[in-house]
Amino acid sequence: ITADNQSKTYGAALPTLTASYTGFVNGDDATSLSTAPVLSTLATAASSVAGSPYAITASGAADNNYAITYSPATLTVGQANLTITADNQSKTYGAALPTLTASYTGFVNGDDANNLNAAPVLSTPATAASPVATYTISASSAVDPNYNINYALGTLTVGQAALTITADNQSKTCGAALPTLTASYTGFVNGD
């Protein structure tokens, strides 16, 4: 009786354990055994990729017509898919960059971002001085052996700063030429 090899994704339920049989005669099959074999593994839904493969064993079968021997198999645990998406952000021209954050899709077994061996690095080419436009926010460098990690970009939208232009009050004497008209500015940023 040979336990069949199996595979599953990290966090998924254990597959049904099965066995193959060699040596039946007289039209016998697995249903002819007095006692069916018990198939077992120490792996669980929460078993990690790092411990893979896990042994699958068969035991306990009985039938007076057969001298039963067993061959083990393996259960291979593969990585679950995890997508890390940089969250969209916005800021005003001249303001400091906002804190860059990410969202996660695909965690299993109660895992969250705190379970990653290395957290993602979030970055954007924008700075406080970047002009009004849309910039990418990217995530990279996250590490965890239980996950096949993919990334999705976010955007940083830089909006206009408020600028107030106030015409300066002026005065002149009757009959005199007009004074030079001037204005005052409130709201410039980035040394503008």
Side-chain angles (χ1 to χ4, degrees), residues 1-170:
I1 300 174
T2 301
D4 297 328
N5 290 330
Q6 303 284 350
S7 63
K8 75 172 206 76
T9 301
Y10 171 68
L14 288 176
T16 300
L17 302 180
T18 59
S20 301
Y21 302 84
T22 305
F24 279 124
V25 294
N26 293 331
D28 290 345
D29 61 21
T31 62
S32 305
L33 294 172
S34 301
T35 304
V38 174
L39 296 157
S40 61
T41 181
L42 295 178
T44 67
S47 294
S48 69
V49 172
S52 181
Y54 297 86
I56 301 173
T57 58
S59 63
D63 193 289
N64 289 337
N65 293 319
Y66 294 98
I68 299 173
T69 58
Y70 303 98
S71 293
T74 57
L75 171 65
T76 303
V77 177
Q79 293 177 320
N81 288 320
L82 175 66
T83 300
I84 300 176
T85 303
D87 295 330
N88 293 333
Q89 302 283 352
S90 62
K91 76 174 206 76
T92 302
Y93 171 67
L97 288 176
T99 300
L100 302 180
T101 58
S103 299
Y104 304 83
T105 305
F107 278 124
V108 294
N109 288 335
D111 292 347
D112 61 25
N114 295 319
N115 295 102
L116 294 172
N117 291 8
V121 174
L122 296 158
S123 62
T124 180
T127 66
S130 294
V132 171
T134 300
Y135 301 86
T136 59
I137 302 172
S138 60
S140 63
S141 304
V143 176
D144 193 290
N146 290 320
Y147 293 97
N148 173 37
I149 300 174
N150 300 291
Y151 301 97
L153 297 174
T155 57
L156 171 64
T157 303
V158 177
Q160 294 177 319
L163 176 65
T164 302
I165 302 174
T166 304
D168 296 331
N169 293 331
Q170 301 289 347

